[in-house]
Amino acid sequence: MSKLYPKLFTPGKIGNLTIKNRIVKAPQSSGMNNKDGTVSERALRYYRDTALGGCGMLIVEYAYVDDIGAKSAHCHLGISNDEDIPGLAWLAENIKECGAVPAIQIEHCGRQKFLGTQPICAPSAIPWPMLWEKEGVESVPHELTIPEIQDIVHAFGDAALRAKIAGFELVEIHGAHGYLLTNFFSPTTNHRTDLYGGSLENRMRIYLEVYRDVRKKVGPDFPVTIRLSGTDYEPDGFPIEDTIALAKALEAEGIDGIHVSGGDHHTMEHQVTPMSIPVCHNVWAAEAIRKAVNIPVIASGSITLPEYAEEILEEGKGDFVGLGRPLWADPEWPNKAAADHPEDIRPCIRCNEGCLMRTFFQFKAVTCAVNPQISREGELKPQPAKEPRNIAVVGAGPGGLEAARVAALRGHHVTVFEKQDRRGGFLNEASVPDFKSDIRPYMTYLNTAVDKLGVKIIHKEAAAADLADFDAVICASGSEPVIPPVPGVEKASVTTAIDVLDDKVEAGENVVVVGGGLIGSETGIYLADKGHKVTIVEMLPQIMKDVSAADVTVYSGKIKDDGIDVLTKTRLEEVTDSGVIVNTERKGRKEIPADTVVMAVGLRSRHELYDQLAESGREVYLVGDAVKPGKIFDAVHTGYRVGLKI
């Protein structure tokens, strides 16, 4: 029994199913299955590792229920015909053997078809905006006929029966996130005038029909839950009151539990929240539904740390907690929390960089910025070094600390040289704004990990002479801000985004931020939130080109609300005593008053020491920004791989 999280590690029940703790692995598409929808060895390894991590129930990613229009994404898991059963049985058996209750979610994608291939099926011929921008008229859905709707209803029931035969112990119906059932429920996507459209009763009809067909086929005692969005966050969508009515109607039909989330793929910032949105974002909806029903409720949505989960249970906002990205960041999250060692949990930072931007939207298998092992289970696991060596790491940023952690984990003797009196590199500056606070627990994790492994930290700028006695050197020397060569940059009013975030300078009332990428945009918002009048100047046609899609939506709202002026296609030409002179594509040269000019045009790698050591024939490796300025993802992954092979 955990002393820190007693509620989290008490058994719970859904229907007649007893679950050893209150942690549910929420279903998430992995892109790891075979092209034909069958279970792959790769997916099996991933789910085994997750189940071994200690969650009470593991809900396997959404599985498509028919071979017509239900499949959404690349290497999407299938449950659409009986030939899927052998692989699914293999998966369910492995999950159970590893200590978790095997469950599976069944789904029809509706209009949200990442593949972009027809047929795309929906209640009304209203395309998913993202797909419309990409495919145009080819993305317009086929408006389902009533016989076709009934075929889909039966397909859900058939899929649920296959899940039961395969050995899964619970089936979850996917009725959230903008997929087919939600397309019927939301007035945004349902413009029908027949018995499936218009009134709330009509819009919820397909949910009840699907549940009845599932129940008929799996029998009265087999646990069935449904995932609902508390709201889709669409201006003309469905409010929480509609979802509560739906939940109560499903309860009256006999459903065993409600799994509560929020948003759809058009409002992705509410479904897969970035760190710029507060944690536990959709728990309010779970709480509202739990007050209205008497069946178990699973609360989910950015429950990144165990103290949040415990609080949700303690305050009665949910009966279980659903964890998605946190179990990608660390599959051992439950085991570490149960052992009362939350400091050992590698926390999700909600950057969405690995799980969405570099994988799902690029048709790759999922990965994680802070956990390079996800989707590479059995391939990238640290193995003991053949012979312990003395390893020096130059730089204690994320790349350097990750390399040090992995090398020490493998048995090497590791010393880290860091010229500053603190560790973390640019993570320190990046985590200054409150809307980037998820980075702070990750810094704590890295520092704790290297300390527990006995890594020696020397706060000194390392020179080649300091490294003479080491067997190998990992250079994680980072990067430095680029200062554009324009007249006036030497003036006292000119500083860098790094120095502003590091509180080395006090910005004046009027601030011009030169550069509208990730660093510039976040620094501009940070300063505007503090009351400064901010103008962002960017050479490209748009700002935030290197920012994740969900963050772009949130940041755009902040920029508008904070009254930040944005000038695109604009070049800095000179810094004057009273401001800056810029040249805009449309209006030519103009002067902008500024008390402070913040440079955020990019970073330049620092690898002089690496070059010196390499030229002398030393065994030396390069990681993080020293390779190429990038994001946390790049630093961690390069550091991990070097630590793995050295």
Side-chain angles (χ1 to χ4, degrees):
M1 174 68 72
S2 168
K3 294 180 180 179
L4 293 178
Y5 316 110
K7 290 280 187 181
L8 192 57
F9 292 99
T10 55
K13 295 198 73 171
I14 297 179
N16 60 9
L17 185 65
T18 299
I19 302 169
K20 67 182 179 183
N21 60 45
R22 303 305 178 107
I23 301 170
V24 174
K25 167 65 179 76
Q28 297 167 289
S29 179
S30 70
M32 295 185 207
N33 296 287
N34 295 317
K35 183 180 177 181
D36 63 357
T38 54
V39 176
S40 69
E41 175 74 34
R42 184 186 195 185
L44 187 80
R45 292 197 308 267
Y46 157 65
Y47 281 115
R48 278 186 62 89
D49 273 16
T50 304
L52 288 168
C55 61
M57 182 167 70
L58 193 162
I59 307 178
V60 172
E61 62 198 79
Y62 64 177
Y64 58 88
V65 298
D66 70 32
D67 294 322
I68 302 171
K71 184 177 180 179
S72 172
H74 58 288
C75 296
H76 187 169
L77 185 65
I79 195 168
S80 56
N81 61 73
D82 290 349
E83 289 188 357
D84 294 323
I85 294 174
L88 292 168
W90 181 38
L91 179 56
E93 185 176 0
N94 270 270
I95 292 169
K96 190 170 184 178
E97 286 175 352
C98 292
V101 170
I104 192 168
Q105 186 183 74
I106 55 177
E107 169 265 5
H108 189 298
C109 70
R111 71 173 190 160
Q112 286 182 176
K113 194 172 189 179
F114 278 91
L115 296 172
T117 55
Q118 290 288 351
I120 300 171
C121 305
S124 301
I126 302 169
W128 173 26
M130 192 186 87
L131 199 58
W132 170 261
E133 292 173 9
K134 180 182 177 183
E135 304 289 347
V137 294
E138 295 299 319
S139 70
V140 177
H142 160 66
E143 186 169 304
L144 291 164
T145 65
I146 290 178
E148 288 170 335
I149 293 170
Q150 290 303 301
D151 287 343
I152 291 171
V153 167
H154 298 319
F156 269 97
D158 293 342
L161 179 57
R162 292 185 191 106
K164 181 181 179 181
I165 293 169
F168 289 98
E169 297 180 6
L170 178 145
V171 163
E172 178 172 279
I173 300 164
H174 199 348
H177 298 164
Y179 292 110
L180 181 68
L181 301 191
T182 322
N183 296 161
F184 277 90
F185 195 54
S186 177
T188 302
T189 48
N190 185 350
H191 292 184
R192 299 176 76 100
T193 57
D194 60 9
L195 75 166
Y196 287 99
S199 69
L200 177 59
E201 179 184 4
N202 285 350
R203 288 185 284 113
M204 70 168 66
R205 186 182 303 279
I206 191 171
Y207 282 85
L208 302 181
E209 290 181 344
V210 164
Y211 171 70
R212 289 167 188 155
D213 201 82
V214 166
R215 178 56 73 199
K216 176 182 176 182
K217 289 169 180 171
V218 299
D221 298 324
F222 188 79
V224 179
T225 61
I226 191 164
R227 197 168 200 191
L228 302 177
S229 290
T231 171
D232 54 4
Y233 293 96
E234 297 282 4
D236 55 350
F238 57 87
I240 185 64
E241 291 80 10
D242 285 4
T243 308
I244 290 172
L246 174 58
K248 292 172 74 172
L250 287 163
E251 180 185 27
E253 291 284 338
I255 205 161
D256 296 296
I258 310 287
H259 189 173
V260 183
S261 187
D264 58 31
H265 285 3
H266 184 231
T267 58
M268 185 70 80
E269 68 276 11
H270 296 289
Q271 180 192 334
V272 188
T273 58
M275 68 178 85
S276 50
I277 284 181
V279 294
C280 306
H281 180 62
N282 287 307
V283 172
W284 68 271
E287 181 182 17
I289 291 171
R290 189 175 185 270
K291 290 177 179 177
V293 300
N294 296 302
I295 52 177
V297 169
I298 305 170
S300 67
S302 297
I303 306 171
T304 54
L305 302 176
E307 51 262 43
Y308 303 151
E310 182 71 13
E311 182 179 305
I312 289 164
L313 299 172
E314 181 68 37
E315 296 181 357
K317 296 177 180 178
D319 301 286
F320 294 83
V321 291
L323 304 183
R325 289 173 294 170
L327 293 184
W328 279 341
D330 194 340
E332 287 280 328
W333 191 108
N335 285 342
K336 292 173 181 178
D340 288 340
H341 284 294
E343 74 279 4
D344 293 337
I345 292 173
R346 182 192 301 109
C348 171
I349 60 174
R350 298 192 298 152
C351 65
N352 290 339
E353 190 64 33
C355 51
L356 282 180
M357 298 307 296
R358 303 192 190 205
T359 54
F360 207 73
F361 287 123
Q362 296 179 11
F363 292 92
K364 300 176 185 176
V366 72
T367 186
C368 174
V370 298
N371 182 13
Q373 288 192 71
I374 288 296
S375 85
R376 300 291 299 276
E377 288 80 6
E379 300 174 30
L380 294 181
K381 186 175 181 179
Q383 300 295 334
K386 293 180 180 179
E387 181 181 347
R389 306 172 72 195
N390 291 319
I391 309 297
V393 178
V394 180
L401 289 177
E402 179 69 357
R405 183 188 72 84
V406 177
L409 193 64
R410 296 180 56 229
H412 292 305
H413 307 294
V414 182
T415 300
V416 175
F417 291 86
E418 171 54 55
K419 66 180 181 178
Q420 297 190 71
D421 60 359
R422 63 184 183 182
R423 312 175 210 170
F426 284 157
L427 292 183
N428 289 287
E429 289 81 9
S431 63
V432 167
D434 285 340
F435 55 84
K436 299 293 293 292
S437 62
D438 283 333
I439 295 174
R440 300 168 195 168
Y442 179 61
M443 281 199 296
T444 300
Y445 157 77
L446 280 177
N447 286 320
T448 300
V450 296
D451 287 343
K452 285 191 172 187
L453 288 166
V455 173
K456 185 178 180 181
I457 309 292
I458 298 176
H459 288 285
K460 176 185 179 182
E461 184 168 6
D466 298 308
L467 308 171
D469 295 331
F470 289 93
D471 299 317
V473 178
I474 300 171
C475 277
S477 43
S479 59
E480 59 190 8
V482 172
I483 304 298
V486 299
V489 292
E490 74 285 350
K491 293 183 182 294
S493 61
V494 177
T495 186
T496 66
I498 300 300
D499 283 348
V500 168
L501 294 169
D502 209 19
D503 207 23
K504 291 182 178 178
V505 297
E506 180 62 40
E509 181 180 352
N510 294 303
V511 179
V512 169
V513 177
V514 182
L518 177 64
I519 296 174
S521 298
E522 290 180 344
T523 304
I525 293 168
Y526 168 70
L527 289 169
D529 286 346
K530 293 178 67 176
H532 300 273
K533 172 61 179 173
V534 176
T535 300
I536 296 176
V537 173
E538 170 57 53
M539 292 172 55
L540 296 175
Q542 65 184 67
I543 62 170
M544 300 188 285
K545 185 178 180 181
D546 56 345
V547 179
S548 70
D551 270 320
V552 167
T553 302
V554 178
Y555 287 172
S556 296
K558 287 180 176 290
I559 286 170
K560 181 179 179 181
D561 293 343
D562 287 342
I564 297 175
D565 291 330
V566 176
L567 302 177
T568 55
K569 298 183 181 179
T570 301
R571 181 186 299 272
L572 173 68
E573 293 201 339
E574 182 181 353
V575 179
T576 67
D577 291 335
S578 57
V580 297
I581 294 175
V582 299
N583 197 328
T584 66
E585 185 176 285
R586 294 179 59 189
K587 297 183 179 179
R589 286 169 58 89
K590 63 178 290 189
E591 184 167 7
I592 305 172
D595 305 302
T596 304
V597 181
V598 178
M599 295 297 176
V601 297
L603 300 169
R604 179 187 295 109
S605 295
R606 299 178 69 251
H607 46 69
E608 296 83 2
L609 180 61
Y610 170 85
D611 294 339
Q612 181 183 352
L613 295 172
E615 287 173 6
S616 67
R618 295 290 304 278
E619 182 181 346
V620 60
Y621 303 88
L622 207 58
V623 304
D625 271 8
V627 178
K628 180 182 178 181
K631 298 182 180 180
I632 294 172
F633 180 106
D634 306 292
V636 172
H637 280 239
T638 56
Y640 185 90
R641 280 167 171 76
V642 167
L644 207 61
K645 72 179 183 180
I646 197 167

